Amino acid sequence: MNTILTQSAADLSAALAAGETTSVELTGACLERIAEVDGAVHAFLHVDAEGALAEAAASDARRAAGSPAHALDGVPIAVKDVLATEGLPTTCGSAILRGWLPPYDATVVARLKAAGLPILGKTNMDEFAMGSSTEHSAYGPTHNPWDLDRIPGGSGGGSAAAVAAFEAPLALGTDTGGSIRQPGAVTGTVGVKPTYGGVSRYGLVAMASSLDQVGPVTRTVLDAALLHELIGGHDPRDSTSVDQPLPGLVAAARRGASGALAGVRIGVVKELGGKGYQDGVLVRFTEALDLLVAAGAEVVEVSCPHFVHALAAYYLIMPSEASSNLAKFDAMRYGLRVLPEHVEDPSAEDVMRASRDAGFGDEVKRRIILGTYALSSGYYDAYYGQAQKVRTLIARDFEQAFGVADVLVSPTAPTTAFKLGEKLDDPIEMYLNDLATIPANLAGVPGISVPSGLADEDGLPAGFQVLAPALADDRCYRVGAALEAALREKWGGPLLDQAPSLTAASRNTTGASA
Ligand code: GLN
C-alpha cells in the first residue's frame, strides 16, 4: 500500500501546502486502494473516480496559483450515501432510491466542494440509517477491515470502514442514535456527533429529524476537528441550525494533544457500564480513564437514572419521526415505481403500496409500522407522549451531571464487532448496541468516540466516548485528543497500525512491491 494513505488529513494538508504531494497523486492513491480492497470491504456504493480526479486537478491548480480554498483543499473524502450530492447517486442504502440523482447538494457537501475536497464516492449504510451493522443495506453489507467476517458497525459502517481500510483519509457520517460513534468504536476510528443544530441537516435525507446530526469520521481527533470546523456553523436553510459561531475545535484538539487536563472534571456515568458490557471493553475503558487521571483530570462518578429508559424512548420517538419522514417515498415524484400485479387500472394508492412494499426492506417496514402505531390517536399519549416525557428527564439528567462534571465518559459500544449475521434476526439484540450512544441524541449534546484499544481475544478494537454539554463540542476534542495522545504513547503509534490483513499486513506486502 502507498504509504501516503496512512497519513492523517492534517499531515496531508501540510504535505500539499509544502508541495511534497499533489491532490491528483493523493486522490489517485485512494482510488487505487479502493480498486484494490473494496471488493472485499464494500465500503462504497458508488465511486466517482472521474469527478474526484477532476476536483483534484482543480485543487492542484489552486495550490499552484497560491490560493488554496481551505487547509484541507485537495484532501479527498468519502460521503455517506444519506447526504444529497448533485448528480451523484444517493440511495440511502435503499432500493426505493436506486439510481436517484439529486438535483442539489446537501449544505455539508456544498461546503466540502467549496473548500476543494475531492469526493471519492458514496458510502454504504443501513437502509435509511436504521441499524447498527450495515447489514440492512439493500446493496449488501460492508465488512469490517479488522476481520472481514465481522460487521463494521452501523448505520454508517461504510464511512468507518473506508477510513479504517485507508481507502479515504476522511469521511462524513450521520448519527441519529450512534451511527457515527459506534462504527468508530468497532473499526478503531474516530467519530464525532456534533451538538444538535451545530451542523446543517439541509440535504441530509431525514430518518428522525430531531435526532439526526452530520459529523466527521476520521483516524485522528485533530482531523475530526478540522473537518467539523469545515462543515459546521449556521445554515439559513436549516431552521434548527444554531446561529452562533462554533467553539474553537481545532484549537481544543491541539491543546488536548499537549496532554494537560488539570482542572478538567470527568464524570463516569454509572448507568453506562457494567452489565451487558463485554469485559475487555470495560478493562480498556478503565485503563483509558487512568490515563486521563494521569494527565491531571479529576474523576467523579455521576448517576443519570433515566438513561436506563433511553433505548425504549428512542425506539418510540425515532420510528415515529421516521414513519412521517418516509411518507414522502410515494413513487409519485421520484424513486422506485412498481405497478401492482393483477390489478387492472391501478389507483395512485395501489402504486404507492406496491412501490413501498418492493422498495423498503424489513427493518424500515418494521419501524414505519411501529412509528405509525405510536402516533395513532388511541396510543399517542401512552407511547409517543410518554417517550417525550422520558426524553425531558434524560435531558435533565445531563444538566445535573454537567453541574458536577465538565464531560461525561463511557464505553462507546457495549461490545466489539460481532459476526455478520449474528444479530440480524434479533432486532432487540441489534438495538442494544446503542445503549451508550442514544442518550446524547435524545438530549442534543455532542459526543466523540476515540479508539481505546484491543478489547477481546480476537484483537478487535473498542471505543471510549466523551460527551459534553450542548455547544461545548470543544471539550470532546480536548479530552479526546488527550486520550489519543496518551494511548499512542503507550502503543507506540496509532491503533490501526495493529490491524491485520487489510491494513498493516497489506501495507507491508503491497508497500514493498509499490
Ligand atoms: N443504530 C441506531 C438505529 O438503528 C442508530 C442509527 C443511527 O444513528 N442512524 O436507529
Side-chain angles (χ1 to χ4, degrees):
M1 181 170 72
N2 189 331
T3 49
I4 203 172
L5 294 170
T6 61
Q7 292 186 32
S8 69
D11 288 345
L12 293 172
S13 154
L16 286 165
E20 292 160 13
T21 184
T22 63
S23 181
V24 167
E25 185 190 357
L26 181 51
T27 305
C30 289
L31 291 167
E32 258 173 49
R33 177 72 178 166
I34 292 170
E36 183 194 11
V37 302
D38 210 53
V41 177
H42 194 224
F44 285 87
L45 291 178
H46 181 79
V47 177
D48 183 24
E50 207 180 306
L53 286 170
E55 282 304 321
S59 168
D60 289 337
R62 276 191 299 276
R63 294 247 180 216
S67 52
H70 186 273
L72 292 176
D73 193 340
V75 179
I77 188 165
V79 174
K80 190 178 180 183
D81 206 30
V82 72
L83 293 160
T85 41
E86 187 180 344
L88 268 194
T90 300
T91 67
C92 300
S94 180
I96 212 161
L97 281 176
R98 188 188 293 274
W100 181 52
L101 299 175
Y104 71 110
D105 280 326
T107 293
V108 290
V109 171
R111 288 185 182 176
L112 295 180
K113 287 184 179 173
L117 284 76
I119 294 176
L120 295 165
K122 306 298 291 290
T123 58
N124 199 11
M125 54 183 283
D126 285 297
E127 185 174 7
F128 288 107
M130 299 178 185
S132 304
S133 68
T134 316
E135 291 168 293
H136 293 307
S137 166
Y139 306 99
T142 296
H143 301 258
N144 192 321
W146 287 78
D147 175 351
L148 295 173
D149 292 331
R150 293 181 188 263
I151 59 104
S155 64
S159 283
V163 169
F166 300 98
E167 295 170 85
L170 299 169
L172 287 186
T174 60
D175 190 311
T176 304
S179 285
I180 291 176
R181 291 162 288 159
Q182 180 257 5
V186 301
T187 59
T189 54
V190 174
V192 177
K193 182 203 95 72
T195 294
Y196 183 77
V199 178
S200 170
R201 289 184 298 108
Y202 177 77
L204 154 61
V205 180
M207 162 154 86
S209 317
S210 77
L211 302 162
D212 300 339
Q213 264 300 281
V214 183
V217 176
T218 61
R219 288 191 292 265
T220 73
V221 174
L222 177 62
D223 284 0
L226 285 162
L227 183 54
H228 189 160
E229 282 193 359
L230 196 175
I231 59 171
H234 184 240
D235 176 16
R237 287 177 157 152
D238 172 1
S239 62
T240 60
S241 161
V242 177
D243 192 1
Q244 69 179 61
L246 293 171
L249 308 175
V250 171
R254 292 197 198 279
R255 183 172 175 209
S258 72
L261 290 181
V264 176
R265 297 166 306 165
I266 294 185
V268 177
V269 184
K270 199 174 100 193
E271 288 76 11
L272 302 180
K275 199 169 153 274
Y277 289 74
Q278 208 170 292
D279 290 344
V281 170
L282 293 174
V283 170
R284 293 289 94 91
F285 173 73
T286 312
E287 284 173 2
L289 205 56
D290 290 344
L291 290 174
L292 295 176
V293 171
E298 180 193 325
V299 171
V300 290
E301 190 185 74
V302 298
S303 176
C304 295
H306 300 96
F307 280 19
V308 295
H309 304 300
L311 198 70
Y314 173 86
Y315 276 99
L316 287 165
I317 292 167
M318 177 275 302
S320 298
E321 293 186 21
S323 71
S324 163
N325 277 323
L326 297 182
K328 64 176 164 283
F329 299 104
D330 58 6
M332 295 295 122
R333 289 161 291 191
Y334 57 94
L336 183 77
R337 177 176 296 182
V338 174
L339 294 179
E341 279 174 42
H342 317 301
V343 182
E344 223 176 282
D345 209 6
S347 66
E349 273 178 20
D350 292 331
V351 176
M352 284 178 204
R353 194 175 298 120
S355 302
R356 287 168 68 86
D357 185 32
F360 287 141
D362 287 350
E363 183 62 23
V364 172
K365 287 176 184 158
R366 181 179 295 129
R367 296 196 194 194
I368 291 175
I369 292 168
L370 202 64
T372 309
Y373 183 80
L375 290 177
S376 59
S377 63
Y379 298 101
Y380 183 95
D381 288 333
Y383 294 109
Y384 183 73
Q386 281 295 104
Q388 289 290 18
K389 286 180 192 160
V390 172
R391 185 175 191 173
T392 303
L393 294 172
I394 287 166
R396 279 191 202 149
D397 279 358
F398 269 115
E399 262 168 50
Q400 282 191 346
F402 286 129
V404 296
D406 301 305
V407 294
L408 302 179
V409 297
S410 75
T412 308
T415 69
T416 52
F418 46 91
K419 288 244 159 73
L420 284 157
E422 196 179 314
K423 300 190 178 177
L424 197 51
D425 297 326
D426 190 340
I428 304 282
E429 271 294 310
M430 192 70 93
Y431 298 167
L432 285 170
N433 282 285
D434 304 311
L435 222 49
T437 45
I438 278 175
N441 300 77
L442 288 171
V445 305
I448 189 170
S449 177
V450 178
S452 63
L454 305 183
D456 62 17
E457 60 282 5
D458 297 315
L460 294 167
F464 184 94
Q465 174 175 243
V466 184
L467 304 171
L471 304 174
D473 305 52
D474 52 327
R475 294 187 198 173
C476 296
Y477 286 102
R478 183 174 173 203
V479 176
L483 177 61
E484 179 184 66
L487 283 170
R488 282 189 178 201
E489 201 177 305
K490 185 169 150 185
W491 300 328
L495 187 66
L496 276 164
D497 274 1
Q498 300 176 44
S501 59
L502 270 167
T503 53
S506 85
R507 182 180 314 158
N508 297 338
T509 50
T510 52
S513 63

